Amino acid sequence: MKIVALAGGVGGAKLVDGLARLLSPDELTVVVNTGDDFNHLGLRICPDLDTVCYTLAGLANPTTGWGRSGETWNALEQLARLGGPTWFRLGDLDLATHLERTRRLKAGDALSRVTRDFCAAWGVRHPVLPMTDQVFETWVLTVEHGWLPFQEYFVRHACEPVVKGFEFRGAESARPAPGVLEAIGAADAVVVCPSNPWVSIDPIFKVEGIKQAIQGCPVRVAVSPIIGGKAVKGPAAKMYAELGIEPSALAVARHYTGRLTGFIFDREDSQYMSDISALGIRAVVLDTLMKTNEDRVNLACKVLDFCALNQTGIRRS
Ligand code: FO1
């Protein structure tokens, strides 16, 4: 079965890793949010792309989920000594990625091309595509500071400001990166990973043509990033609450209304089964928390089973 996975950062990367352990590079393409990308210290930083690639390459920091394992912080310490900005922590190993990416982009290479070459260098075999090669910026409207670029909200202010809304600057002119529409067009199923619906998945749907292409795919399945009213990681639940929506798996299913054929949520939230089914989508409860590599593979295996079930109505053997 050919799968396109839509992913943001850490939560998405874990499921992508599970899928990649089960599917060949021909069977899995990952489309990654680039709304979090920004310029910092003169460098182009693409956090979600790097998180997905480092995870697939086995290079990711297991504690934070972002950045590199075995990281050292000499450059950051020297930057602090010089009075430079250290609120966004760039490790020594990670810096090489940003330096070379920035050099390549300045020389005129597209982000998708640079990502493809980096993946080859890191031994990542599955295609990882940025959603777009154009600049696309997620901004967060906050009560305390007005509009903030995403990383200012997320890292500098530690997701503390109260959220009032989002804006996706550049969305009108952004076009899908090469290969994105082709992969979706050839997919048997699109899997929406357990990433933040507001700021990781919605941006992907905002790129011209991607939403329509996904609607043309017969099977569209999402995994809830909210378990027991809380986000496994990050501010998704806090965002729902601040926008006047009770955070829950049901809220996530409603968020994606009209976009899905199937929805996977945690066993802990079984009480929402009838309300979610009433949205006209096929739903299933599973153990969705991914603490270990084995959990990633187990969930990915069940996601694939559920996709097959959505496709044919008959469970895969
Ligand atoms: N997240 C943090 O909370 N603090 C950081 O200092 C930080 C640095 C960082 C550096 C490179 C990178 O690729 C990601 C980094 N992240 C950091 C994570 C990232 O900003 C967010 O997790 C994503 O944008 C949300 O998906």
Side-chain angles (χ1 to χ4, degrees), residues 36-267:
D36 298 11
D37 297 9
F38 75 129
N39 296 318
H40 183 63
L41 297 169
L43 301 173
R44 188 70 182 158
I45 318 287
C46 305
D48 287 357
L49 266 181
D50 290 346
T51 297
V52 168
C53 294
Y54 289 161
T55 302
L56 288 177
L59 297 172
N61 181 322
T63 312
T64 56
W66 52 265
R68 295 279 300 260
S69 64
E71 188 58 280
T72 55
W73 303 93
N74 295 305
L76 197 80
E77 280 161 24
Q78 294 311 308
L79 187 66
R81 193 170 171 184
L82 297 172
T86 54
W87 58 271
F88 195 82
R89 295 173 56 77
L90 295 174
D92 300 331
L93 298 173
D94 193 28
L95 266 171
T97 304
H98 312 306
L99 283 165
E100 177 59 4
R101 175 167 46 222
T102 306
R103 187 190 71 77
R104 294 271 308 264
L105 292 174
K106 281 194 173 150
D109 279 340
L111 180 61
S112 52
R113 178 83 198 259
V114 177
T115 305
R116 193 190 68 189
D117 292 348
F118 284 10
C119 281
W122 289 324
V124 174
R125 293 164 51 243
H126 296 80
V128 177
L129 308 176
M131 63 187 197
T132 182
D133 277 335
Q134 277 89 48
V135 171
F136 179 118
E137 295 174 350
T138 298
W139 285 67
V140 185
L141 182 59
T142 67
V143 170
E144 296 86 344
H145 308 282
W147 285 108
L148 289 174
F150 182 77
Q151 296 297 342
E152 296 258 342
Y153 160 80
F154 193 95
V155 176
R156 192 172 207 164
H157 293 285
C159 306
E160 278 162 9
V162 176
V163 170
K164 286 168 60 180
F166 307 98
E167 199 169 88
F168 303 110
R169 300 190 185 172
E172 314 72 42
S173 44
R175 297 291 170 266
V180 170
L181 295 183
E182 293 80 353
I184 298 171
D188 299 304
V190 170
V191 173
V192 178
C193 289
S195 298
N196 187 316
W198 298 103
V199 293
S200 295
I201 302 299
D202 282 356
I204 302 177
F205 277 86
K206 293 277 177 202
V207 178
E208 192 186 278
I210 291 189
K211 184 177 171 182
Q212 293 82 342
I214 291 173
Q215 288 303 124
C217 183
V219 178
R220 307 178 300 276
V221 166
V223 180
S224 175
I226 294 194
I227 303 178
K230 296 192 182 93
V232 176
K233 192 167 165 52
K238 182 175 174 286
M239 287 172 170
Y240 276 105
E242 289 167 359
L243 293 166
I245 303 165
E246 192 186 320
S248 66
L250 175 59
V252 177
R254 285 190 177 137
H255 189 111
Y256 290 132
T257 297
R259 298 192 240 175
L260 300 179
T261 59
F263 189 68
I264 296 170
F265 60 111
D266 199 83
R267 232 176 264 291

